[in-house]
């Protein structure tokens, strides 16, 4: 079984990513940490006890990772809701059952957190971001449980793709248990709808 774990906002730097989220949702993400293996760093925003939003960018102070960074961060571009991740308790079995290639299962760390995650070797987003990456946390409770609660929650998630049947088939192969609205789109896209202290807000484009 898989479920929504987190949403991923990519940005050229954390400052612009923070402003992007703050302008859209009216709240500020908190400091996260560094991913040494990918030469990236992040901010995080709690959306529930086991759900969060991540703002991630290349870390200008880190040496080159010697491989493409994840989430297409080497491609540049303005801040955007680029991707999402689904949580599993057995990432190798889940990845093997997937109807689409989601990448290589890779060990990752950030501070005292450890997890396994699927990362395409070329750094590209599976199905252009419409497909989730897979993550298996090696920590309990979920990392979101220790993030600051600012009163935000995820109300709905939409993904679009030129061939939405591929997305539907993938989620079925992953035994995905949350609801995600899937639609046809000229290009892959992710839209998230939130309940915030300022009322309903959204991020992303179809």
């Amino acid at each position: 079984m898989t479920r929504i774990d987190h949403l991923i906002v990519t940005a050229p730097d954390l400052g612009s990513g923070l402003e992007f989220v703050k302008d859209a949702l009216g709240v500020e993400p908190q400091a996260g940490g560094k991913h040494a293996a990918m030469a990236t760093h992040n901010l995080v925003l709690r959306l529930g006890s086991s759900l969060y939003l991540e703002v991630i960018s290349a870390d200008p102070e880190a040496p080159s990772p010697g491989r493409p960074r994840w989430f297409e961060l080497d491609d540049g571009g303005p801040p955007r809701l680029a991707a999402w991740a689904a949580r599993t308790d057995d990432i190798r079995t889940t990845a093997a059952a997937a109807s689409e290639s989601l990448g290589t299962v890779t060990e990752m760390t950030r501070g005292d957190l450890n997890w396994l995650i699927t990362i395409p070797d070329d750094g590209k987003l599976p199905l252009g971001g419409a497909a989730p990456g897979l993550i298996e946390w090696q920590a309990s409770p979920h990392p979101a449980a220790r993030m600051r609660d600012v009163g935000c929650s995820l109300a709905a998630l939409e993904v679009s793709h030129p061939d939405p049947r591929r997305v539907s088939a993938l989620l079925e192969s992953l035994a995905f248990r949350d609801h995600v609205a899937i639609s046809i789109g000229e290009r892959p896209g992710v839209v998230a709808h939130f309940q915030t202290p300022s009322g309903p807000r959204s991020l992303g484009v179809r």
Side-chain angles (χ1 to χ4, degrees):
M1 184 178 73
T2 60
R3 309 200 70 163
I4 299 173
D5 187 80
H6 65 280
L7 309 176
I8 298 133
V9 170
T10 57
D13 57 81
L14 290 187
S16 63
L18 184 150
E19 290 302 316
F20 175 72
V21 172
K22 183 178 177 181
D23 288 347
L25 304 185
V27 295
E28 287 192 23
Q30 68 187 72
K34 297 176 180 286
H35 316 102
M38 283 289 159
T40 58
H41 55 176
N42 70 354
L43 305 171
V44 292
L45 176 69
R46 176 178 167 137
L47 299 174
S49 60
S50 57
L51 181 62
Y52 69 102
L53 179 146
E54 169 184 40
V55 178
I56 189 167
S57 75
D59 182 356
E61 298 179 355
S64 169
R67 57 155 294 161
R69 289 181 175 87
W70 48 9
F71 309 123
E72 300 182 3
L73 284 171
D74 291 328
D75 294 350
R80 67 186 182 105
L81 178 59
W84 59 295
R87 181 173 64 255
T88 174
D89 291 331
D90 186 348
I91 193 170
R92 298 186 193 282
T93 299
T94 305
S99 62
E100 303 279 347
S101 175
L102 300 178
T104 302
V105 175
T106 306
E107 295 182 3
M108 293 295 296
T109 64
R110 177 172 67 78
D112 62 348
L113 294 175
N114 299 278
W115 67 96
L116 301 172
I117 190 168
T118 52
I119 306 175
D121 294 338
D122 60 4
K124 297 300 182 183
L125 297 170
L127 295 186
L134 295 176
I135 190 166
E136 178 185 338
W137 290 103
Q138 299 175 321
S140 184
H142 190 280
R146 62 186 190 182
M147 296 175 191
R148 183 175 68 246
D149 188 348
V150 295
C152 282
S153 60
L154 179 67
L157 184 65
E158 305 175 30
V159 298
S160 57
H161 190 272
D163 187 353
R165 293 170 297 180
R166 290 178 65 185
V167 181
S168 297
L170 172 62
L171 296 187
E172 183 176 350
S173 73
L174 299 178
F176 187 70
R177 290 296 178 263
D178 289 323
H179 175 71
V180 171
I182 302 168
S183 63
I184 190 169
E186 188 174 318
R187 61 182 63 85
V190 184
V191 179
H193 303 280
F194 304 87
Q195 186 61 44
T196 78
S198 302
R201 300 287 182 91
S202 298
L203 270 180
V205 294
R206 290 180 181 83

